[in-house]
Each structure stands twice: as structure tokens, then as C-alpha cells.
């Protein structure tokens, strides 16, 4: 039903030859009202002389009749914020909590530093986290990788096979060569025991670290799926590559149980990742419920895994050999970060996103699963000195990696401005 609205004579000059305005009945959802208000650009409906009983209320939705006038230039976002209801406020609070939980990884550098200082000042705070907890802790971190991965992520990343191959070469060729180099230097130039050299070499033979995915996400978010694929691939193939490299580099110096290492890596790495992928594929609601809690738990677990090795081996770390190993591990990781960055720049210099690729592969080459190396050292090597380089590497790798995160993020912000 239409409604004829007779306007007073003093309004006719604004409507020229129009005598009436015919309004068709239109149902307008309340959620669309803010957009309509903005489009009206300041026209206030209440200025029109709608009189009770004129029938015009049947032709205009209630949301327009009771709506507030919106000044010119007011955005839909601002207008909708004025009409927000308590339930929306409650949902915003819930969203804020989830956002905080998901953003817990941003505090990882500070947590790593705090764990390092606390372990050195008060070792008993971490000594309860003994060697038997390393494998379950690493398995949890690998499970988090699986839950946060999907088939689509892998498909997108696999469209860049050359990049994945470059990351793999950096992880299992460049880095083991550096490990062998610095392991040899530790014996020839520093006169360190063979077991410490074996620890440096073992650290260079393990797969990529999950922390490299966090670092990539904080620096170049679009590259995070590619980083996950490279880390997952190196982790999956570490079942065969790590024992082979261990035998190749240190097999003549210390006995290596290759079959036992393969079994151990299957339990720590492969099974948790597959469990996370299957859960994400067939039980998405469960994954959605637990995913916000994984970042803070991962940060907490990482803090324990960083502090415990130092607390347990603090006497060895603070010994004269410990200082030499510290310098060698710093040089090893610095060389790995620089090699990954430079190696990628030479290969992909024509790529439009070469800088982002350089940062991503630098993380992949410079950061590895030192916790896995520590677990393997504790399980398969009788000499406790073998575990000192992986223990120190766990801290140095994290500190250097996230120092680069802060440095590169600051440079990107400076470049934008």
C-alpha cells in the first residue's frame, strides 16, 4: 500500500514540480540502517511532518523512523558503533581475549630472555623439567604445527618448489657443513674434547625449528605457510636424513644408534604432526576451540625447554669449556643466518619478493630443532658433554632469531614511513 504525503507550501520550492512523494513499503533490516544513514548524508527524516494516523509509518521501517540523524562524512563503522548493543560488547570482549591468546607468540623474545636469566640466576626454577619431559614437550610443539596446518597451506606453498628446495638445501647441506666446520675448529683451534665437537655437529644435523615459523609470521606473515611447509618437510625427512648425517659426520668419533634415532624421531615428530593434521581435517570444531590456547601454551613450553637445559647444565656452561662452546655456537648460528640470507639473494635476485624470501630462508637455515638434538644427545650418547652444545644452541638460536625479527620489523616500518 502506498502513502501520499502532503507537504506544506514552504517545502514545495525544494521539490520543484513534485507535489507529493510516493513511498513504497520497504522492509529494511536494522543491520543495514547505518549504511543507509551514511548514504542519506545528513538528511534527518524527523524534519518531515509525519503525523500520527497519516499512514506513513506503514510504508517506512521502524528503524528509519527512530534512527538518529548522521552528520556528513560519518563512516558506517562509526555509525554502527553508536548503535552497538550489550551482546555485541560482550562478543567484542570475548574476541579481545582470543586475540590476546593468539598473539602470545609476540612475547616469545622477552620470554626467552627471561627464561635464560632466571635459569642462570636460580637454576632450581627449571631443574624439575628433567630430560624425560623433552620428548613430550617437543611432541606438543610439533602437534601445534599440525593443528595450524592444512592441505590448502601445503598446496599454496608447493607451487614454489624451487624455494622449498632452496630451504631444504640450506637446512640439510649448508648447515651440516657449517656444523662440521665449527666442530672441527673446536677440536683443532680450541682443543675441546671430541664429545663437544660431536654435540656441535649433532646440532647441525636436525630438522628445522618451529620457532622459525613464528619468526617468519612476525616478520613476513604471507610467507608463514611457506615456512611451515619447509619446516614440515625437513622434519618429515629428518627420520632418514638426521641419522645419515650423524653417521656421516660423527659416526667415526662416537657410536650412533641410527635405528633408535629413527624410532625416536617418529615418536617425537611424525606422529604428533600427523595427529594435528588429521584433527584439523576431520574435527575442525575441536581445532577451533583449542587453537587460541596453543600459542600461549607453546610459549610456556618453549620457555621451559629453553631454561631447563641451561639450569641442568649450568655448571658445564659456566666452565671454561662452556665459554668456548658458547662462542662457537654463536659463530655457527650467525654463519647459518647469513648464509641462508645471502644464498637466497643469489638464487632469487629477480623475484619481486626477494627480501621476504631472504628473511624466510635465513630463519629456516639459522634456526633448527635444538631440542631434538638435545633429546637425541641425552638418549644416545653416554658422555654428558655432548648435550652442552644443543643446550646452548636452544638459547642462542632463539635470541638471535628473534633479535632479527625485531630488527627487520623495525626496518620495514621505517621503509613504509
Amino acid at each position: 500500500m502506498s502513502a501520499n504525503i502532503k507537504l506544506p507550501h514552504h517545502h514545495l520550492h525544494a521539490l520543484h514540480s513534485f507535489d507529493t512523494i510516493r513511498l513504497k513499503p520497504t522492509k529494511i533490516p536494522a543491520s543495514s540502517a547505518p549504511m543507509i544513514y551514511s548514504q542519506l548524508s545528513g538528511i534527518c527524516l524527523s524534519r518531515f511532518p509525519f503525523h500520527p494516523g497519516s499512514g506513513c509509518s506503514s510504508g517506512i521501517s521502524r528503524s528509519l523512523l527512530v534512527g538518529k540523524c548522521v552528520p556528513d562524512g560519518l563512516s558506517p563503522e562509526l555509525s554502527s558503533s553508536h548503535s552497538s548493543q550489550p551482546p555485541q560488547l560482550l562478543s567484542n570482549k570475548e574476541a579481545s581475549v582470543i586475540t590476546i591468546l593468539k598473539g602470545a607468540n609476540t612475547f616469545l623474545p622477552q620470554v626467552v630472555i627471561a627464561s635464560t636469566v632466571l635459569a642462570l640466576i636460580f637454576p632450581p626454577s627449571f631443574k624439575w623439567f628433567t630430560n624425560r619431559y623433552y620428548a613430550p614437550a617437543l611432541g606438543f610443539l610439533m602437534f601445534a604445527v599440525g593443528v595450524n596446518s592444512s592441505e590448502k597451506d601445503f598446496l599454496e606453498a608447493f607451487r614454489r618448489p624451487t624455494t622449498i628446495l632452496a630451504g631444504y638445501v640450506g637446512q640439510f647441506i649448508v648447515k651440516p657443513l657449517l656444523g662440521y666446520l665449527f666442530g672441527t675448529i673446536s677440536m683443532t683451534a680450541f682443543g675441546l674434547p671430541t664429545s663437544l665437537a660431536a654435540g656441535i655437529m649433532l646440532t647441525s644435523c636436525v630438522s628445522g625449528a618451529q620457532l622459525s615459523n613464528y619468526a617468519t609470521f612476525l616478520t613476513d606473515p604471507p610467507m608463514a605457510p611457506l615456512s611451515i611447509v619447509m619446516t614440515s618437510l625437513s622434519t618429515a625427512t629428518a627420520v632418514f636424513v638426521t641419522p645419515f648425517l650423524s653417521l656421516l659426520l660423527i659416526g667415526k668419533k662416537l657410536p650412533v644408534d641410527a635405528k633408535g634415532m629413527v624410532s625416536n624421531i617418529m615418536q617425537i615428530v611424525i606422529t604428533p604432526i600427523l595427529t594435528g593434521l588429521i584433527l584439523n581435517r576431520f574435527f575442525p570444531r575441536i581445532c577451533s576451540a583449542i587453537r587460541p590456547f596453543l600459542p600461549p601454551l607453546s610459549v610456556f613450553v618453549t620457555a621451559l625447554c629453553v631454561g631447563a637445559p641451561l639450569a641442568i647444565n649450568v655448571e658445564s656452561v659456566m666452565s671454561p669449556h662452556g665459554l668456548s662452546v658458547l662462542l662457537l655456537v654463536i659463530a655457527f648460528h650467525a654463519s647459518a643466518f647469513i648464509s641462508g640470507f645471502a644464498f637466497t639473494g643469489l638464487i632469487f635476485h629477480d623475484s619481486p619478493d626477494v627480501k621476504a624470501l631472504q628473511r624466510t630462508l635465513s630463519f629456516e637455515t639459522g634456526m633448527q630443532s635444538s631440542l631434538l638434538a638435545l633429546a637425541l644427545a641425552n638418549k644416545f650418547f653416554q658422555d654428558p658433554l655432548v648435550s652442552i652444545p644443543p643446550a646452548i644452541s636452544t638459547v642462542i638460536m632463539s635470541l638471535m632469531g628473534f633479535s632479527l625479527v625485531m630488527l627487520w620489523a623495525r626496518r620495514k616500518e621505517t621503509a613504509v614511513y
Side-chain angles (χ1 to χ4, degrees), residues 66-363:
V66 300
K68 294 182 180 180
C69 299
V70 180
D72 291 334
L74 185 62
S75 65
E77 290 83 0
L78 290 177
S79 63
S80 62
S81 66
H82 287 293
S83 60
S84 61
Q85 299 297 325
Q88 293 177 341
L89 292 176
L90 181 60
S91 63
N92 289 339
K93 292 180 180 179
E94 293 175 351
S96 299
V97 173
I98 294 176
T99 302
I100 292 173
L101 291 174
K102 290 181 177 179
N105 290 331
T106 59
F107 298 100
L108 197 55
Q110 294 86 344
V111 172
V112 168
I113 294 174
S115 301
T116 303
V117 174
L118 183 59
L120 292 174
I121 295 176
F122 188 63
S125 60
F126 288 98
K127 281 191 173 181
W128 62 270
F129 196 80
T130 56
N131 296 342
R132 63 178 179 176
Y133 295 114
Y134 292 149
L138 186 60
F140 171 79
L141 295 179
M142 294 299 101
F143 171 76
V145 172
V147 169
N148 286 282
S149 303
S150 67
E151 296 87 347
K152 293 181 180 179
D153 296 329
F154 284 89
L155 290 176
E156 288 294 327
F158 274 118
R159 294 179 181 177
R160 309 184 72 164
T162 306
T163 307
I164 296 174
L165 179 61
Y168 197 83
V169 169
Q171 189 67 242
F172 282 135
I173 295 181
V174 174
K175 193 179 59 168
L177 289 176
L178 291 173
Y180 183 79
L181 172 64
F182 284 100
T184 303
I185 291 175
S186 69
M187 293 184 294
T188 57
F190 287 80
L192 297 180
T194 303
S195 54
L196 288 175
I200 296 174
M201 296 178 188
L202 179 62
T203 303
S204 69
C205 294
V206 294
S207 59
Q210 185 191 9
L211 294 182
S212 66
N213 306 147
Y214 295 155
T216 300
F217 175 77
L218 295 175
T219 309
D220 298 285
M223 292 291 172
L226 182 63
S227 176
I228 292 173
V229 168
M230 287 190 289
T231 302
S232 301
L233 181 61
S234 68
T235 300
T237 56
V239 173
F240 309 103
V241 178
T242 296
F244 171 75
L245 290 174
S246 299
L247 285 170
L248 182 65
L249 298 183
I250 60 179
K252 295 181 180 179
K253 298 178 177 67
L254 290 174
V256 177
D257 183 3
K259 293 183 179 179
M261 291 178 68
V262 169
S263 176
N264 207 42
I265 294 175
M266 283 290 294
Q267 296 174 17
I268 294 177
V269 179
I270 303 301
T271 302
I273 286 182
L274 287 178
T275 302
L277 287 173
I278 293 173
L279 193 66
N280 193 22
R281 176 66 177 85
F282 296 102
F283 303 96
R285 291 186 178 180
I286 296 178
C287 283
S288 299
I290 66 174
R291 192 174 287 118
F293 300 96
L294 291 179
L297 289 175
S298 297
V299 170
F300 176 70
V301 170
T302 303
L304 293 175
C305 293
V306 168
L310 276 179
I312 295 172
N313 300 286
V314 65
E315 295 181 358
S316 299
V317 173
M318 301 302 291
S319 66
H321 287 329
L323 179 60
S324 300
V325 173
L326 175 64
L327 295 176
L328 287 167
V329 170
I330 290 175
F332 163 68
H333 282 291
S335 300
F337 280 115
I338 294 172
S339 298
F341 191 88
F343 177 66
T344 307
L346 290 175
I347 297 178
F348 303 101
H349 58 90
D350 292 331
S351 178
D353 55 354
V354 60
K355 291 299 182 182
L357 284 176
Q358 284 182 284
R359 291 188 288 265
T360 301
L361 270 74
S362 178
F363 288 133

Side-chain angles (χ1 to χ4, degrees), residues 340-406:
F341 191 88
F343 177 66
T344 307
L346 290 175
I347 297 178
F348 303 101
H349 58 90
D350 292 331
S351 178
D353 55 354
V354 60
K355 291 299 182 182
L357 284 176
Q358 284 182 284
R359 291 188 288 265
T360 301
L361 270 74
S362 178
F363 288 133
E364 287 299 314
T365 308
M367 304 178 74
Q368 71 283 326
S369 184
S370 301
L371 291 176
L372 176 59
L374 184 60
L376 295 175
N378 290 326
K379 186 175 180 62
F380 297 106
F381 296 88
Q382 296 180 353
D383 194 332
L385 291 179
V386 179
S387 64
I388 293 179
I392 296 177
S393 172
T394 302
V395 179
I396 297 303
M397 172 197 67
S398 303
L399 291 178
M400 294 183 69
F402 287 103
S403 295
L404 287 176
V405 168
M406 292 184 285

